[in-house]
Every structure is written in C-alpha cells, then in structure tokens.
Amino acid sequence: MLVFKFGGASVKDVEGVMNLKSIIQLYENQAILVVVSAMGKMTNALEEVVKLFYKKEEYTAKILEIENYHQALIDALFQDKTEITTSLKTHMQMINDYLESIDKQKYDEIYDQIISHGELLSTLIISNYLNQEGIKNRWLDARKYIKTDSTFREAKVNWDATQSSLDLLEPNANLFITQGFIGGTSDNKTTTLGREGSDYSASILAHCLNAESVTIWKDVPGVLSADPRLFTEYQKFDQLSYSEAVEMTYYGATVIHPKTIKPLQNSNIPLFVKPFLHPEEAGTVINDGEFLQKNIPAIIVKNNQLLISISTKDFSFISELNISHIYEIFAKLNLKCNVSQNSALSFTVCLDFDEMKFEELIKSLETLFKVKYNENVSLYTIRHYDANILQKILEGKIVILEQLSRSTAQIVVK
Ligand code: ASP
C-alpha cells in the first residue's frame, strides 16, 4: 500500500481537487490510502469560530462563511450535488448544535470537536467526487482507526489500540480516503494531533499498515534549504537522512510535521516529498541513507515568537529547582520551548506565541518569579552553518539571543 498525503493548499480549490484525481490516476493498479487535510484555510476559519465562541462573540457569520466556501466547491465539482450538500449542512448543524449544548468543557476539548469538521468535510467531498468520476474508493473515519488519549489539541497516539483497529481494516477497496490530523479516544471523543498534524497521521497509518512508502504532495519541489517565501537563494535536497529530517522539523521546518519521521524510520518506510503540480518530478526522498548534502546549510525561520526572561524575586541564583518549576508551567500549558539560555540570575526562553495561553503563562510565572518579555521576535535556526551565511542572514537585524553548537546556530532577532 502507498500512503499519500494532500495538505490544505493542494485541495484549496476546484483545480486542486481535480489535480488530486489526476495524481491518483497515475497509480491505477496500486492500493492507495489517501490522507487529506481540511481544504484551504478552513482549519483557521474553524479556529476562529472557537475563539469567537469562547470570547462570547457572534460566530454564526463565520460558520456561514465556512459553509459557503465548501458549497462553492461542491457546486463546481458535482453533477448531482444533493447528497453531498446534505452532508455539508449536517456538519454545519453539528457545529451549531455542539456549541449550543456545551456546558463546562475546556477550550482544548471544544476546539477539537469543532476543528475536526474541516477534515471530515474535505474527505467527504473528495471521496464523493472521486466516486462520481468513476474512481471507486472507500471513505474511512480516521477517528475509528487512530486511537489516542484525551490530550485535546495534542493527542498522544495509543499505538496498540491503533494497530489493533487497523488490523481489522478489510482490504476491500484499492483506494481509501481518510482524514489527517484527527483521532478518537476510547470513549469516542474527537481529538487532534497538533496543528499541521496530517503528515503525522499519514505516518501513523503507514507504520501500522506496513506501507511501501509515504508521499507528501506539496506546493514546493521538495524539501528546500530555505523557505522560498522568505529567501531568494535556496536549493532542493534530493535526499535527506531520517535523522537530519527530524532535526530540521524539530527546529521548525514546516515542510513536514516534526512527529512524522519517527514512525517511518522505525519501520524503514521511505518518505517522499513531491510537488503536486509536477508529480513526475523526483522531489526529495527521506530514508535511511546518509545525509548527502551536508555542505548545504538549511535555514529555518520561526516568526511570532515570545522571548521571556525570568529571574528570581529575591535576587538569588536561578537554580535547578527554579528551572524545574518553570518547565512544569510550560508542560502544564503544553508549550514547547524552542531555545533557552540561563545565567546566574536569569533564565531566558523562546516559545511560540499562543494568544490563548499567554495570560495564564505570564500569571503562573509571576507567582514565583520576576518576568520580562519581548513579543513578536523571530528565531532563526541554521543547520550546518558557516560564518558567511550567519553574516548574510543577520544583516540589519538586532540579535537578542544567540546559541551556537557544532552543527546548529539558533539566533533570536528583532
Ligand atoms: N488542517 C490541519 C491544520 O491546518 C492539519 C493539517 O493541515 O495538517 O493544522
């Protein structure tokens, strides 16, 4: 079985959905499991609904916008749109009913129950469209197969339960269409695996089904040494080792979700990153080989970072005990520390800014420490850096934190 993953950008419009169809047609005699994200920016739009609801603001206009977006795609793709339009309306009703019925649920739980409709809708539309076009397929509800705990928004996979449910999957179709990003708990609540988690879904499914390979179809020619939206100079890697790919994604390379590589590495399944507009191109293969292009530095930029400087209230040194308290607060709020540095009197840490957690974070830290922070800074990570590239990148920027190891430079700038 081949596992294909199509992200939101690849199915954002009618052309995208038709392109997905033509890629699948290239692999006619193969068994394929297709994992699809929510279309276009629908996850962001659904996120907006949850935020508005939580702030007790009007959210129905946003729901209508989401419905209209899907309806426009349906109108353009389907000859007979009755059935699929009913499904769309049912999902919109489910969102409304859920928001009207909830009582004491926490933000993260509400988030997952709402946000998951993006993937459910995209796969319903694509599966029905392919069937209409004579490409017979079976729609799978990923929540029945990817079993997780109930850490909403960052669910942990229960590998034994996931393996057992996938063992029961009858290979009664050559083509399966399922959702990325979402899973289900043992008591049938919907969970999500973290933003951009569809790649990880593809990898979980490939691992448990012992797939031949995974292909992530992207709007770039493969894994690039820098983001083409930010840099004019970049190169495509033809091949990367699993370890190098893990490092790059851990530091924030958004081309693949960080958790994607490990399950593939463990079962030695190659991961291809290919351009969806040029499926004949080789793209990048991530496999067990050596990292072949060590002399190409890889630049990873994370914007919208929060740099916090924490010191003790009584001017005592920052001790291990203090640091463990600080990390406890991060862990409780499920925040990932991107880079940290400590001196005798302060501990400085760079995190992804999260609007919904910011206040609680600062409040929790301030109960024990003195806290200063800078919002909206950027973190540059350069793998296999040299003096030249550092100079080029940092020109005109104010460096507020710098950390160099043998292979990796991490620099926070304003
Ligand atoms: N739709 C989800 C997101 O935008 C998951 C994904 O695209 O991988 O985060």
Side-chain angles (χ1 to χ4, degrees):
M1 161 127 27
L2 304 177
V3 175
F4 285 177
K5 182 260 169 174
F6 289 87
S10 67
V11 290
K12 69 176 192 300
D13 50 23
V14 175
E15 291 74 33
V17 177
M18 289 178 167
N19 186 54
L20 176 149
K21 177 186 104 178
S22 54
I23 290 180
I24 286 168
Q25 281 172 323
L26 296 174
Y27 295 84
E28 229 173 347
N29 298 318
Q30 280 275 3
I32 308 177
L33 170 67
V34 181
V35 176
V36 192
S37 302
M39 293 167 148
K41 299 265 181 256
M42 283 301 107
T43 303
N44 288 355
L46 287 157
E47 199 169 78
E48 202 51 42
V49 171
V50 186
K51 281 185 187 164
L52 290 169
F53 169 80
Y54 221 69
K55 290 191 221 155
K56 299 200 166 31
E57 288 174 22
E58 156 60 31
Y59 57 81
T60 48
K62 198 80 207 169
I63 296 185
L64 191 61
E65 206 181 283
I66 294 167
E67 177 171 349
N68 290 343
Y69 172 91
H70 288 103
Q71 188 65 58
L73 271 159
I74 289 172
D75 290 345
L77 286 168
F78 288 85
Q79 279 129 34
D80 177 0
K81 47 194 186 211
T82 332
E83 202 183 313
I84 187 72
T85 302
T86 308
S87 299
L88 171 62
K89 295 229 176 295
T90 307
H91 279 270
M92 293 300 120
Q93 197 56 48
M94 280 158 86
I95 294 176
N96 274 310
D97 291 350
Y98 178 76
L99 290 177
E100 275 167 24
S101 72
I102 48 180
D103 182 16
K104 285 196 187 67
Q105 284 87 338
K106 293 227 168 76
Y107 180 80
D108 289 354
E109 179 173 346
I110 299 171
Y111 181 100
D112 281 359
Q113 312 317 302
I114 299 298
I115 240 65
S116 46
H117 288 280
E119 270 68 14
L120 292 166
L121 280 171
S122 69
T123 50
L124 279 170
I125 292 174
I126 287 167
S127 167
N128 279 279
Y129 169 69
L130 293 174
N131 275 328
Q132 168 193 283
E133 298 297 297
I135 303 174
K136 296 289 161 230
N137 68 88
R138 204 178 125 200
W139 182 86
L140 298 179
D141 186 340
R143 297 171 296 184
K144 294 207 176 104
Y145 295 96
I146 297 190
K147 302 311 292 180
T148 73
D149 70 358
S150 54
T151 317
F152 296 104
R153 290 184 77 186
E154 202 62 59
K156 312 266 170 312
V157 175
N158 177 339
W159 287 97
D160 290 340
T162 301
Q163 185 66 64
S164 307
S165 43
L166 283 164
D167 285 345
L168 297 177
L169 180 69
E170 293 283 333
N172 57 356
N174 238 3
L175 181 62
F176 296 93
I177 310 289
T178 196
Q179 309 79 43
F181 183 49
I182 70 174
T185 62
S186 53
D187 57 348
N188 294 326
K189 282 194 172 147
T190 305
T191 53
T192 62
L193 304 170
R195 283 303 304 264
E196 312 293 331
S198 297
D199 296 347
Y200 183 38
S201 302
S203 148
I204 297 164
L205 294 164
H207 173 90
C208 293
L209 293 167
N210 202 14
E212 198 179 312
S213 67
V214 174
T215 304
I216 298 183
W217 297 96
K218 301 278 299 183
D219 54 358
V220 284
V223 180
L224 305 177
S225 63
D227 185 337
R229 289 167 301 186
L230 305 175
F231 296 88
T232 45
E233 279 175 43
Y234 54 85
Q235 296 180 56
K236 175 180 78 79
F237 294 107
D238 296 332
Q239 183 264 345
L240 286 171
S241 67
Y242 289 121
S243 311
E244 186 58 33
V246 169
E247 293 286 359
M248 282 174 64
T249 56
Y250 173 80
Y251 287 119
T254 52
V255 62
I256 313 159
H257 188 278
K259 291 185 185 163
T260 310
I261 313 289
K262 255 311 172 180
L264 301 179
Q265 181 171 21
N266 289 356
S267 13
N268 207 5
I269 298 170
L271 169 63
F272 295 93
V273 178
K274 289 193 185 203
F276 57 71
L277 290 178
H278 300 282
E280 69 291 350
E281 285 182 14
T284 300
V285 60
I286 296 164
N287 58 18
D288 206 16
E290 279 295 299
F291 174 63
L292 289 180
Q293 292 154 311
K294 242 194 181 95
N295 53 342
I296 305 180
I299 308 165
I300 300 139
V301 185
K302 278 187 148 224
N303 290 321
N304 200 17
Q305 297 290 292
L306 177 68
L307 188 76
I308 315 181
S309 187
I310 301 158
S311 53
T312 53
K313 284 183 171 166
D314 57 4
F315 294 100
S316 62
F317 291 155
I318 279 279
S319 66
E320 277 65 21
L321 191 63
N322 296 136
I323 296 177
S324 81
H325 286 325
I326 295 169
Y327 271 95
E328 235 168 71
I329 294 174
F330 295 160
K332 209 181 91 207
L333 290 171
N334 206 1
L335 293 168
K336 179 175 164 277
C337 153
N338 294 327
V339 59
S340 69
Q341 212 166 62
N342 64 305
S343 70
L345 298 177
S346 79
F347 178 78
T348 306
V349 60
C350 186
L351 309 153
D352 295 338
F353 180 78
D354 185 331
E355 191 192 339
M356 303 307 286
K357 292 179 177 171
F358 175 68
E359 239 176 74
E360 196 179 343
L361 170 67
I362 301 296
K363 233 197 329 203
S364 312
L365 288 169
E366 278 178 344
T367 56
L368 300 167
F369 305 100
K370 247 169 54 186
V371 180
K372 287 196 285 186
Y373 56 86
N374 271 301
E375 285 172 68
N376 214 2
V377 296
S378 299
L379 169 63
Y380 283 70
T381 303
I382 304 115
R383 295 276 299 156
H384 313 292
Y385 67 94
D386 58 32
N388 229 346
I389 189 125
L390 289 187
Q391 195 194 0
K392 241 196 222 166
I393 288 176
L394 299 178
E395 213 174 279
K397 299 189 179 80
I398 302 167
V399 174
I400 34 183
L401 186 146
E402 184 173 47
Q403 210 166 75
L404 307 181
S405 75
R406 219 153 29 99
S407 54
T408 310
Q410 287 204 285
I411 303 167
V412 179
V413 298
K414 265 212 257 204

